[in-house]
Amino acid sequence: MNPHTGTGPPPRAGDLAPSRPVRTPPRPVRLALRPPTFPPGPVCGAWWPRTDDLMTELPELTEAFDATRGRVSRMASHRDTWPTAPCELPVTGHTVQAAWFVSRFDPHMIRLFSYGVGRWDLLVVPPRTETATAARLMAAAADPALHLTASELLAAERHLHTEDEAVREQGQMEQWEDEGGASRRPSAPLSPPVTVTARDPLFASRQVR
């Protein structure tokens, strides 16, 4: 059809080519998994959702599993992990059946069941976690040398953060005193180094000052 020159009647709406909807590219799922050649541990990896809206976040996770490890047909989680607990969750191409627990289930874990393959237990990194912290947690959850549950991984990260804060505050206090903020007091003897047991090789032994 020739373009309208302004001398004849304008084209009818039905004559115009329909505009194509703009498709938003899918976001990459933030997922880390243990190598499949290693035996499974308490968790087989970690998932870092962007929000706590499971209806929105789960399709990205299941799509990643559907493409590489078999279609996810069911999931299980702790009731307090998510604001809502629907029995069915629509995902790409099918529906996932959900089971919710109030006890004897790690509140920081989600369990996926892939049809014909098995189950996958994942640490759920809280959505508002800082990037550096989330990266450490995901690497630890996917490390075949570690055998920590989801709750133990988060507790170890909190312990590390608390120690770092204590060391930083001590350094700031020493700098303030060196600059004349307070008179020097006799320094107390150093405490013996804190040694982490071999059960948690995520964190090396360190000396707290």
Side-chain angles (χ1 to χ4, degrees):
M1 184 177 65
N2 294 328
H4 180 55
T5 60
T7 58
R12 295 173 299 176
D15 295 336
L16 298 177
S19 59
R20 295 182 178 180
V22 178
R23 296 186 61 183
T24 303
R27 300 176 301 179
V29 62
R30 301 190 294 193
L31 177 67
L33 296 175
R34 292 165 64 99
T37 54
F38 286 86
V43 294
C44 62
W47 174 43
W48 184 21
R50 292 175 172 82
T51 71
D52 59 5
D53 182 359
L54 187 60
M55 298 283 286
T56 300
E57 301 294 334
L58 188 64
E60 294 179 358
L61 178 62
T62 58
E63 189 169 355
F65 272 84
D66 289 353
T68 59
R69 287 173 169 79
R71 171 173 288 193
V72 175
S73 58
R74 294 180 293 136
M75 62 141 286
S77 189
H78 196 282
R79 177 61 186 85
D80 295 336
T81 304
W82 309 95
T84 60
C87 295
E88 295 183 345
L89 295 115
V91 297
T92 305
H94 62 288
T95 300
V96 173
Q97 304 294 322
W100 301 98
F101 296 85
V102 294
S103 63
R104 298 183 180 181
F105 197 97
D106 195 317
H108 303 291
M109 187 181 75
I110 188 171
R111 176 171 293 166
L112 304 179
F113 296 88
S114 293
Y115 179 75
V117 178
R119 83 181 196 193
W120 307 89
D121 292 345
L122 301 174
L123 162 69
V124 178
V125 180
R128 285 172 283 277
T129 302
E130 294 182 355
T131 301
T133 301
R136 285 194 300 269
L137 286 168
M138 296 180 76
D143 188 346
L146 297 182
H147 296 276
L148 302 177
T149 66
S151 290
E152 288 171 345
L153 286 167
L154 286 172
E157 178 63 31
R158 286 193 295 267
H159 179 70
L160 177 64
H161 179 73
T162 301
E163 285 191 341
D164 288 344
E165 285 293 328
V167 172
R168 184 160 46 250
E169 290 178 2
Q170 180 66 22
Q172 292 173 349
M173 178 62 70
E174 291 179 355
Q175 180 181 3
W176 178 68
E177 291 179 351
D178 289 341
E179 293 174 353
S183 58
R184 272 284 189 180
R185 291 173 294 179
S187 58
L190 293 176
S191 301
V194 178
T195 303
V196 181
T197 61
R199 186 171 179 269
D200 186 2
L202 173 61
F203 307 114
S205 302
R206 57 166 54 194
Q207 181 172 315
V208 181
R209 298 177 58 88

